[in-house]
């Protein structure tokens, strides 16, 4: 019997969403886009697809309903099928990783995010599909943003005659922004049916306690004050396990309460069977405490929940383009998310929400959670867009991908061989795009097939696609392989995960069947090192070399540093490949969480493309001598080096000049004469008078810029800096000047000043203005301040006592005789009585020595 709205109406009439259905149906009848805002519990996830399936404009085509999580997708499909009185896989089916239930009769397909991207990749036109619904779009996952962008792009290209309709639905959504993206689509709002939820704020007495200790008193209080089941929101799986253990201990002190209470974890990596147990009603006479991550914020109806306890925390992946690492950051939830969580207590009846923060902090929370696309690893997205042949600029985004993250993603794809130097997709990249895994793992799968290690590659890809089986109990990835082979036991909570991994590896093996396996690797790899070899294909930037034998610290090919825990068995391996690492507060190095040993023999064979060979002819600043060797590097890691012999004079000269440029001119054998000549040339050059010839730039910067010209011809055999000490820099500077320039130098900026006594006193040109340090007695009778540059540049006089100690600095000699001289005379005459101290210095003859010496000179 065909589905009609009249048949559906009695089944859903009690749901609040029904009031908004006429407007929604009309919007999609009149146009091809719409935005639906409906609070939790309104019934939009199940009622809207079933209602729209009855519309004439659909024309017998399918509806795709995108759900962000597997559990929500399966629950939605089962609920819709139940409303129709059918089994899943008939009118309503679902597609998700490792599980598909659809048939030729299926008209509504509930799909998870990655599945929709694959469907678009295989059939961009989405033939036979009339409507795509993006449910819970407020979560703004990377896959949802990508799927929407590709859907809009493909629709514009392929669906002119029968346009594909698009509907975005959410409980807490910036509807106006999405409407603008969809071409000013109409926004339909449903008031929903939200029972009253009493909010109680319970800020922790101290935030220094572990989270489980902060929450346990609140949960015990809620158990006493309420009789219904509880939903506790936590940031992650680790907190769920620790809180479960703490609660079990607390409940043990209340036997009756413990017997009536079930602890039920709920998180994304939990197998579907246990997830479904968490959302099912509690047995009669019992109630549940559901310990959940943000997976429980939307879509799911958890039976019996009337109490929500919100830790106020969430865990988000954040990609750092500087390190190419994704780290999980624990952050405060947004206002929108806190409202979503609160609403879970009022979906079925009146409820209560305990918020573990102060009331005034609520308005300090960010309004929305940041979109994943702004802080995610974009390698998978970049590979998909390259396969489509489009750039991010050609698509419509609610939030465009950041340029820095995009550049890092493309650089990684090029390193993996998916892109060529012109950033075009290679045949290898096209093969990689077929695999529903991160491009790193896709590359590893293909390389594993080519190395005759396909089964091991599939095992590794399946393991790395899930959370750690052993919860980081140790670091050696080979122990996880042993669990997969049944040689080691896994913790009870990981058994469902192990089953998913085994299913996934079979899927990868089927995908690899179409890729031929060529001859064996050129150099055999021992079984203990095979996993490390495959990891090196996936993570070439995380190949790591031990800093010290048996030590815990490693350097990675990307230039980062990582460390193992003290006593880790992997410390006996000089080479590792790191699959997972991250930093903790207060640590200088990354902590290595998951790795496998690597045999360096692989660099001669399967990994030889990772080895760069360069001739290094440079100056070793530590040893202060020429370094000439052939270096073999893996990224930034030095693997091995060989000495380079028979260097040419040009090679030696280039290396030495580079060292001088890096260390500065001070490494050369300067003395006072050479530095004064340099200063004189610069003094004359900066005068810039028309009558003067142009002079070469002899400043330190100018000399460094022209090392090859004035210094290069004289250093073609030196291999150590100390061999430069024989250079005569003064002569080298003079050789830069022709006869005209030298003559101007002597005429305009002479090295010495001839005093009235006949003494030749050196002028210090390293100051501005130049300094003349001279005994004041030698200037008796001189009224004008001495100057150079034909009187244009007065000297700064440092007037000295008979003991050649400074007594006065002046730029005006005449003024000194008239004023300061008499004070100086009073102070020094008694100290130096044998020297002349005339009352009239301008009328006295200049004197070099004592009065007796001057008298004898006059008698001669």
């Amino acid at each position: 019997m065909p589905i009609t709205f009249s048949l559906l109406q009695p089944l859903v009439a009690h749901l609040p969403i029904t009031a908004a259905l006429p407007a929604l149906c009309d919007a999609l009848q009149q146009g091809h886009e719409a935005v639906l805002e409906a609070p939790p519990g309104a019934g939009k996830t199940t009622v809207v697809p079933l209602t729209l399936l009855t519309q004439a404009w659909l024309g017998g085509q399918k509806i795709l309903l995108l759900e962000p999580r597997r559990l929500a997708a399966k629950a939605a499909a089962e609920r819709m099928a139940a409303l129709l009185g059918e089994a899943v896989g008939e009118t309503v089916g679902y597609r998700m990783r490792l599980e598909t239930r659809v048939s030729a009769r299926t008209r509504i397909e509930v799909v998870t995010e990655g599945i929709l991207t694959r469907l678009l990749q295989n059939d961009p036109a989405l033939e036979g599909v009339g409507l795509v619904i993006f449910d819970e779009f407020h979560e703004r996952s990377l896959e949802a943003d990508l799927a929407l962008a590709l859907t809009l792009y493909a629709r514009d290209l392929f669906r002119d005659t029968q346009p594909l309709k698009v509907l975005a639905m959410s409980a807490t959504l910036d509807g106006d922004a999405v409407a603008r993206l969809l071409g000013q689509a109409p926004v339909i709002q449903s008031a929903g049916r939200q029972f009253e939820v009493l909010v109680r704020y319970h800020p922790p007495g101290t935030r220094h306690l572990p989270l489980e200790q902060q929450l346990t008193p609140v949960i015990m209080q809620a158990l006493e004050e309420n009789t219904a089941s509880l939903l506790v929101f936590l940031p992650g799986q680790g907190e769920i396990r620790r809180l479960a253990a703490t609660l079990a201990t607390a409940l043990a002190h209340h036997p009756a309460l413990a017997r009536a209470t079930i602890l039920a974890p709920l998180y994304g990596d939990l197998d579907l069977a246990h997830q479904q147990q968490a959302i099912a009603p509690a047995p009669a006479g019992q109630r549940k405490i559901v310990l959940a991550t943000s997976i429980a914020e939307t879509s799911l109806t958890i039976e019996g929940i009337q109490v929500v306890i919100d830790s106020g925390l969430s865990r988000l992946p954040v990609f750092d383009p500087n390190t190419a690492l994704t780290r999980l950051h624990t952050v405060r939830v947004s206002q929108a998310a806190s409202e979503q969580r609160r609403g879970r207590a009022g979906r079925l009846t009146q409820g209560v929400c305990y918020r573990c923060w102060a009331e005034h902090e609520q308005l300090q929370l960010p309004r929305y959670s940041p979109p994943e696309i702004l802080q995610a690893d974009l390698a998978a997205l970049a590979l998909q867009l390259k396969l489509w042949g489009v750039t991010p600029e050609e698509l419509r985004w609610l939030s465009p991908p950041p340029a820095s993250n995009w550049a890092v993603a493309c650089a990684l794809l090029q390193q993996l061989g998916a892109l060529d130097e012109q950033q075009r997709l290679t045949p290898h990249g096209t093969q990689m795009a077929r695999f529903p895994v991160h491009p790193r793992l896709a590359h590893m799968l293909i390389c594993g097939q080519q190395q005759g290690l396909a089964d091991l590659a599939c095992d590794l890809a399946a393991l790395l696609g899930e959370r750690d089986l052993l919860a980081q109990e140790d670091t050696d990835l080979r122990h996880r392989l042993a669990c997969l082979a049944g040689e080691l036991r896994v913790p009870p909570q990981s058994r469902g995960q192990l089953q998913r991994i085994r299913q996934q590896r079979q899927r990868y093996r089927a995908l690899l069947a179409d890729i031929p396996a060529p001859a064996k690797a050129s150099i055999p790899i021992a079984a203990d090192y095979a996993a490390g070899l495959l990891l090196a294909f996936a993570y070439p930037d995380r190949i790591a070399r031990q800093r010290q034998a048996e030590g815990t610290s490693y350097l990675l090919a990307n230039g980062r540093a990582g460390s193992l825990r003290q006593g880790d068995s992997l410390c006996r391996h000089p080479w590792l490949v790191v699959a997972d690492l991250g930093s903790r507060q207060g640590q200088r190095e990354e902590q290595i969480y998951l790795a496998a040993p690597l045999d360096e023999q692989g660099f001669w064979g399967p990994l030889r493309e990772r080895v760069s060979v360069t001739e290094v002819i440079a100056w070793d600043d530590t040893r202060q001598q020429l370094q000439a060797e052939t270096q073999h590097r893996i990224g930034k890691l030095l693997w091995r080096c060989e000495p380079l012999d028979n260097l040419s004079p040009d090679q030696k000269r280039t290396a030495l000049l580079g060292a001088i440029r890096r260390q500065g001119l001070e490494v050369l054998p300067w003395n006072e004469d050479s530095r004064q000549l340099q200063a004189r040339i610069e003094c004359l050059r900066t005068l810039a008078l028309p009558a003067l010839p142009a002079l070469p730039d002899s400043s330190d910067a100018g000399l460094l810029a022209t090392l090859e010209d004035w210094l290069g011809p004289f250093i073609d055999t030196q291999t150590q800096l100390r061999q430069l000490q024989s250079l005569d820099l003064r002569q080298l500077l003079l050789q830069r000047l022709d006869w005209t320039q030298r003559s101007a130098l002597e005429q305009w900026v002479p090295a010495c000043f001839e005093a009235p006594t006949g003494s030749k006193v050196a002028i210090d040109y390293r100051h501005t203005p130049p300094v003349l340090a001279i005994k004041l007695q030698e200037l008796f009778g001189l009224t004008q301040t001495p100057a150079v540059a034909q009187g244009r540049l007065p000297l700064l006089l440092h007037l000295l006592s008979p003991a050649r100690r400074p007594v006065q600095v002046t730029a005006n000699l005449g003024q000194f005789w008239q004023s300061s001289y008499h004070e100086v005379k009073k102070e020094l005459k008694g100290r130096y009585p044998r020297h002349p101290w005339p009352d009239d210095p301008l009328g006295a003859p200049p004197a070099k020595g004592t009065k007796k010496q001057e008298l004898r000179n006059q008698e001669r």
Side-chain angles (χ1 to χ4, degrees), residues 33-83:
E33 304 87 9
V35 176
L36 175 62
E37 295 179 359
K44 61 183 180 302
T45 300
T46 52
V47 175
V48 168
L50 289 173
T51 301
L52 297 180
L53 191 63
T54 68
Q55 300 301 294
W57 50 257
L58 193 60
Q61 298 180 97
K62 289 183 179 181
I63 294 175
L64 294 182
L65 172 63
L66 178 70
E67 286 293 335
R69 296 182 174 86
R70 294 182 304 149
L71 181 59
K74 192 168 186 177
E78 290 175 345
R79 174 63 177 158
M80 284 188 282
L83 286 172

Side-chain angles (χ1 to χ4, degrees), residues 208-225:
H208 299 299
L209 291 174
L211 184 61
E212 60 271 17
Q213 295 182 28
Q214 296 179 33
L215 293 179
T216 297
V218 182
I219 295 172
M220 298 302 292
Q221 177 183 338
L223 287 173
E224 293 177 2
E225 295 175 348

